[in-house]
Amino acid sequence: MTTRKTPYALLFSSMAAIILSPGPARASSLDPNEPYFKLKGMPAYRPASHSGRPGRQAGPHRARAARHLTPARAEGRRPGGPAARSADGREIVPLSSAGTGAVRRHRRRNIDGGTETMKIGARRHVSHGAVDVVSRQTMNEFVTGTNPNAILAYTTPGANFTSSDALGLDAVADTLYVRGFNLTQLGVTMDGIPLGGQGFGNAYGLSIDQAEIQENVTSIAMSQGAGALDTPSTQTLGGAISYTTSDPLNKAGGQVSQMFGSYGAYRTFARADSGKLNDTGTKFYAAFSRTDQNLWKGAGGQDELMANFKGVQPIQGDRGKLTALFDYSRLDQDNYMPLTESMWKIMGRKTTYSMPNWSKAKGFACANAANLGLKAGGCAGVTLPDLPMGLDGQPIDPGNFQYAGNQYQQNYLSALNFDYKLFSNVTSRTVAYAQVSNGDYGNTQLGVSSPDGMPSAWMGQKSNTRRIGFTQNFDIHAGDRNLIKTGLWYENNRFQLPEYLWADQWDGPHDVHDYSRGSSTKWWQKNFNSNTFQFYVQDTFTITRGLKFTAGFKSLTETQNNNSRVNPGWKTVGNAYQLNGYNIPFYNHQASGSLNASNAFLPHFNLDYHFLQHHEAYIDIAENMRPYDTTAWSGLGSWHQSAQQAFNNAKYGLNGVAKLKPETTWNYLLGYRYSSPVFMLAADFYHTEYYNRLISVTQTVGGYANGQYLNIGKERMFGADVLGTIRPFQNMTGSWLQGFALTNSFSWNNETYRNNAVPGLGANGGPLNLRGMHQVYYPKFMYKVDLAYHYQRFSFDFNANYNAKRYMTYTNDMKIPAYWTSSLTASYDFGKLGFAQNFKATFGVTNLFQQNYIGGVYGPASVKGDQNPNMFVAAPREFFGTIAARF
C-alpha cells in the first residue's frame, strides 16, 4: 500500500462549485427520508386495513423489522394506494433521526389524505410496482461493512450481486443485476443526489460504497419496475435504487465499532453527533471508517478510508430544512487477476498475478512474446511455463498471466439540500451537488516491449472526473384528488483519461504503485464532456378509496463529446506502434466526435388498487431511454480499420453497420401482494421490450482484433418474482418462539436477443445469428432463503442464495456454472456496560459452505470461446467478529 498526499484543494473547489451552482434542485422519489420507522402502540397488533409488505415487529422481545417495507410518500401514500403499513395494518411514519416525530393512524377524512401533517425532510415516495426497502436493522444482520448492494441482492428477489472479496469492496469485480439490468442501466440516488453511472472507474458517477459509510446508510429502496419519473438519472432503463442516509441525532453522543477477520482484516468505525446546538435545532455529525484486508490469494491488499459529514439547520420550525453533506473516500487496492473458465477450472481458484515472483512473470512474458512472434533476446535462458490445454481445446494463453494490477481512487462529494413548504399545498425540494474524483488504474501489459527489450510494460491510466449539477422538485396538492409532481435536473460532467506506459526491466518490474508522470511515456488522452437536462411532470389521481392512477412523462436530452488526442511522436511500423523505445503490437486508439440522445416524451403509467383487508394489485407501464456512455468512443478499430472509421460507421450507419441509436425499453409490470401478521406473499410478472441494444465487443477478423460498439437490435425479456415470508409463532406474545421468521423467494428471467443477422460478428466479419440466445452474465433462475430468529437480546440470521448458470458468450457456447452463496451471523446486545450503551458483539461467516464459484464479471463478453479473461473467483469462507457500542 502507498501513502499519497490528499489534494485538499479539490475539497474547496468542490464546495465552491456547489455554492456557485446556477440553480436549485430536486429529490429522488424513492428515498424514505428518515433513518427508521416506528409503529404506534407497538406491543399490540390489529388487523390490517390495507396491505403492504409486512414489517417484522421491532424491539428486543419481538420479531425483527421488515426486510421489505412498502415505501410511501411523506403523507404515507403510494401513487396508487394508501399509506405504507406494517403487517398489522398500522401506518409506518418516518421519524426524525432522534426518534421523535408525529406517529399517526390511517387518515380517513379525505380520499387522498389532503389533511396531511408534514415534517420537512420526510420525503415523498413514488413507488412503481414492486418496491422493496431494506432497513438499517436488516443491514445490521450482515457482516459489518458489507457493500449495501450485496445486502440488497441477498434479501431481494430478482437482484444478483457478485464480487471477488467477502465485503464487496473490489470496484472492478463488483457486479449487480436487477431483473436483467446491470448497475449501468439503473437509476441511482442518495438523499436525492444523483450518483450517476455506477461502472468501474467513476467516469460519470460514484458508487454507494465509495460515497457513504455503510453504518450511515439507513435504508435502501429498490424499484424493480421502471423506476420513478423524478429519478435524476440517464441510466434508468429498468428500475431505480435510492439510498437514504441518517440525519444527525438530537442528542449529543457517539458510536464506535471494531471488526477483525480472516486474512488480517480489520475495520474501524467512529461517529460523533453534536446534538442540538441551539434553539433553532442546528446539529451535525462526523463519521470515519477504515477497512484493511490482505488479499485472500496473491500479494497485496485492500485499504479503504472514508469520512462523512452532515449538518442540518431547520428553518422556521418545521417549515423548512437546509442540509449540508460532504463525503470523502480513498481506495488503495491491489486487484485480483481475472480468469478464463479454463484457468479457473484447470489451474485452480488461487490462480492469480505473479507478484512478487518476477522470474515467474518473465516466463509468462517470454512465452507470450514467442506466441506473438516478437523478438526478445533477453528471453534466452528464461524458464517458460508449462500451460495445459483449455476447455475449448486451445492452449491456455500465457498472455493472460500478468505480473500485477491495482487501482487508487479518491472521491469528494458535496451537496446542499433545501426543503421548504412554499404554501400549504406546495412543497419545494432543491439539491445542488458536485463530485470530484481522480484515480490511478494500471496493470502489467504483456506483449508491449519496454525500451530494453523486456516483453512487458506497466500500462496505466490517470482519470479525473468533475460532475456538477442541480435538481428542483415541486409537490402540489390540487384539491382532494390530485397530487401533481414536477421538476427538472441539469448536470455537466467532465471526464479526462490519459494512458501512460512505464518501463519494466529484465532485472525487475516497474514499481506497481508508482504512477508519477515523470518516468512515463504518454500514449493518448480522452477528453469527455456531457450536458444533461431532464424535465418531468406527473399527476396521481384518486379514483376512489384504495384505487389510484398515476400518469406522467419525462423529457430527457444529453449531448456528449469526446476529443481524443494521440501523442504525435508515435509512429506505426508494420502492425505495431513505436515511441521512445516502446513497441506495441496491438491496435489501441480513441475516436473523437459527438453524440446526442433526446426524447421529448417518455411516458409512465401506474394503477394501484388496495382491496379487502390484506390485498393489493398494481400495474406499471413505462418507456425509458439511456443515452450513450464513454464506451461508444473506446476500444474501437483495428490495424485494417481505424477507431475513427469504426466510430463513424456506427454513428452514421455506414458500411453495413447498424446506426447507433439510444437504448430504449418498454417495461410492463403486473403485481399482487398479500400481507398479514403471520404470512406475506408478493408476486410480480414483468415483460420488457428492449430496442437498440448496444454492446461493446472485440472480434478477431482476418487475424486482427477488431473492436466495435454495435447496435445489435432488439432484446426481449419475460420474468417473474415470488416472495413469501412466514412467522408461524407471531401471535404467541412473549414466547421465545415468536421471533422466528422464514423468507423464501424464487426468480425466473428469460431474456433473449432477437436479431438473426448482427453485422460484423460472424465468420470473417459477416453477420451472426443471435436470435434466441440468452442474456449474458445474468442467471435464468434464482432462489433465496433467509431464516431469522430474535429473542430478547440475541439475534441470529442464516442467508443462502442459489444462482443458476450464467452464459459468458453471446452465442451461449460457454457458461459460468450455477452456485450457492451462504452467510451466517449471530449477535448479542449486552445493553449498558459502564458508560457504553448497547454494547454488542457480532460473529459472522461468509461463504459458509466453502463454495468454489465465479463471483464478479468485468468487461464485455466474447462472441464465443474461452479466450476472454473477465471472471473473478469469489472469496473462500471467511470469519469476522465485531464489537460495537454507543455513548
Side-chain angles (χ1 to χ4, degrees), residues 183 186-188 193-198 204-206 232-233 235 467 491:
L183 259 180
L186 301 170
V188 183
I193 305 165
L195 290 185
Q198 301 293 289
Y204 46 99
L206 186 63
S233 170
Q235 312 301 309
R467 275 195 319 136
E491 180 179 285

Side-chain angles (χ1 to χ4, degrees), residues 471-486:
T471 64
Q472 175 64 54
N473 187 62
F474 295 100
D475 289 2
I476 305 168
H477 288 267
D480 291 340
R481 292 178 178 267
N482 295 83
L483 172 62
I484 299 171
K485 297 171 69 70
T486 186

Side-chain angles (χ1 to χ4, degrees), residues 282-562:
T282 306
K283 55 184 178 179
F284 69 87
Y285 71 74
F288 163 89
S289 74
R290 170 78 181 274
T291 305
D292 196 289
Q293 183 178 26
N294 296 326
L295 300 185
W296 63 267
K297 63 176 179 178
Q302 297 170 307
D303 183 7
E304 182 180 58
L305 183 148
M306 300 184 72
N308 297 160
F309 172 86
K310 191 173 186 179
V312 173
Q313 175 60 62
I315 297 174
Q316 297 179 347
D318 287 344
R319 185 169 183 178
K321 183 174 74 171
L322 179 66
T323 302
L325 176 146
F326 174 73
D327 293 337
Y328 168 78
S329 66
R330 186 211 68 195
L331 176 64
D332 194 353
Q333 171 181 302
D334 294 294
N335 297 131
Y336 294 96
M337 188 174 78
L339 309 179
T340 65
E341 187 177 11
S342 296
M343 294 167 68
W344 166 51
K345 286 188 172 180
I346 297 175
M347 304 186 70
R349 74 192 299 179
K350 288 201 171 183
T351 303
T352 190
Y353 292 115
S354 303
M355 189 175 75
N357 190 335
W358 183 239
S359 295
K360 182 179 180 180
K362 286 195 294 184
F364 286 121
C366 288
N368 182 66
N371 282 357
L372 297 177
L374 302 178
K375 296 180 180 180
C379 284
V382 173
T383 301
L384 302 183
D386 183 16
L387 294 175
M389 299 293 287
L391 297 174
D392 59 356
Q394 301 295 319
I396 294 179
D397 187 356
N400 294 334
F401 295 84
Q402 302 168 335
Y403 176 68
N406 62 37
Q407 66 190 73
Y408 177 85
Q409 296 172 257
Q410 282 195 124
N411 307 287
Y412 302 82
L413 178 65
S414 305
L416 289 176
N417 294 13
F418 181 48
D419 299 90
Y420 195 72
K421 193 165 187 177
L422 300 174
F423 307 101
S424 62
N425 66 327
V426 180
T427 304
S428 168
R429 178 172 172 80
T430 305
V431 181
Y433 63 94
Q435 174 197 337
V436 175
S437 297
N438 55 76
D440 298 330
Y441 312 92
N443 64 281
T444 305
Q445 189 65 53
L446 304 189
V448 176
S449 297
S450 293
D452 73 345
M454 174 65 200
S456 73
W458 186 259
M459 183 177 291
Q461 299 174 336
K462 301 179 71 67
S463 69
N464 186 291
T465 301
R466 188 222 63 186
R467 275 195 319 136
I468 184 170
F470 69 90
T471 64
Q472 175 64 54
N473 187 62
F474 295 100
D475 289 2
I476 305 168
H477 288 267
D480 291 340
R481 292 178 178 267
N482 295 83
L483 172 62
I484 299 171
K485 297 171 69 70
T486 186
L488 56 87
W489 167 48
Y490 170 77
E491 180 179 285
N492 174 260
N493 178 38
R494 185 191 67 196
F495 175 63
Q496 295 178 330
L497 186 71
E499 179 103 295
Y500 295 88
L501 289 171
W502 288 266
D504 284 339
Q505 309 292 331
W506 285 106
D507 57 357
H510 170 74
D511 181 354
V512 299
H513 295 107
D514 176 17
Y515 284 87
S516 60
R517 289 182 173 88
S519 60
S520 67
T521 296
K522 188 174 183 178
W523 186 354
W524 49 258
Q525 178 167 324
K526 176 193 297 184
N527 299 287
F528 179 82
N529 189 279
S530 67
N531 286 282
T532 305
F533 179 81
Q534 177 179 291
F535 166 81
Y536 83 96
V537 62
Q538 71 176 38
D539 179 32
T540 298
F541 177 69
T542 302
I543 300 172
T544 186
R545 184 182 302 279
L547 180 61
K548 289 192 176 184
F549 177 68
T550 299
F553 74 94
K554 68 179 178 182
S555 301
L556 174 63
T557 182
E558 181 168 274
T559 300
Q560 303 159 307
N561 182 72
N562 183 52

Side-chain angles (χ1 to χ4, degrees), residues 517-758:
R517 289 182 173 88
S519 60
S520 67
T521 296
K522 188 174 183 178
W523 186 354
W524 49 258
Q525 178 167 324
K526 176 193 297 184
N527 299 287
F528 179 82
N529 189 279
S530 67
N531 286 282
T532 305
F533 179 81
Q534 177 179 291
F535 166 81
Y536 83 96
V537 62
Q538 71 176 38
D539 179 32
T540 298
F541 177 69
T542 302
I543 300 172
T544 186
R545 184 182 302 279
L547 180 61
K548 289 192 176 184
F549 177 68
T550 299
F553 74 94
K554 68 179 178 182
S555 301
L556 174 63
T557 182
E558 181 168 274
T559 300
Q560 303 159 307
N561 182 72
N562 183 52
N563 180 18
S564 178
R565 291 176 291 179
V566 179
N567 190 319
W570 286 100
K571 62 180 180 179
T572 302
V573 179
N575 289 329
Y577 296 106
Q578 292 183 358
L579 176 68
N580 294 345
Y582 290 96
N583 186 82
I584 303 175
F586 55 83
Y587 186 87
N588 188 354
H589 263 288
Q590 301 292 306
S592 295
S594 63
L595 291 171
N596 177 266
S598 298
N599 195 317
F601 187 73
L602 295 166
H604 198 145
F605 307 98
N606 177 271
L607 182 67
D608 194 285
Y609 182 41
H610 292 256
F611 57 100
L612 302 178
Q613 275 197 322
H614 305 287
H615 304 266
E616 178 189 8
Y618 45 86
I619 299 172
D620 197 81
I621 301 173
E623 182 184 16
N624 285 321
M625 179 190 75
R626 178 177 180 259
Y628 312 100
D629 57 36
T630 58
T631 55
W633 291 265
S634 305
L636 304 179
S638 68
W639 291 114
H640 70 279
Q641 177 182 264
S642 70
Q644 193 62 51
Q645 184 60 55
F647 175 80
N648 291 340
N649 286 346
K651 179 179 179 179
Y652 300 109
L654 305 176
N655 299 318
V657 176
K659 184 177 180 179
L660 283 184
K661 297 178 181 178
E663 293 179 313
T664 59
T665 57
W666 272 98
N667 298 286
Y668 307 87
L669 175 69
L670 175 65
Y672 167 79
R673 186 176 295 114
Y674 171 87
S675 55
S676 71
V678 174
F679 179 69
M680 186 276 285
L681 172 68
D684 288 342
F685 176 78
Y686 58 92
H687 169 58
T688 296
E689 292 289 338
Y690 202 141
Y691 301 92
N692 305 314
R693 183 73 162 92
L694 299 178
I695 66 169
S696 179
V697 65
T698 299
Q699 175 80 336
T700 300
V701 179
Y704 300 110
N706 184 42
Q708 300 178 83
Y709 186 63
L710 296 177
N711 180 349
I712 64 169
K714 191 175 180 181
E715 193 171 352
R716 179 173 292 164
M717 183 196 312
F718 293 93
D721 292 325
V722 179
L723 181 143
T725 298
I726 185 170
R727 305 175 186 84
F729 312 108
Q730 182 64 52
N731 295 325
M732 298 175 60
T733 304
S735 170
W736 65 273
L737 294 172
Q738 187 184 24
F740 277 107
L742 177 64
T743 299
N744 287 269
S745 71
F746 176 79
S747 299
W748 165 74
N749 178 284
N750 186 38
E751 185 173 6
T752 57
Y753 306 107
R754 308 301 296 168
N755 196 336
N756 60 7
V758 180

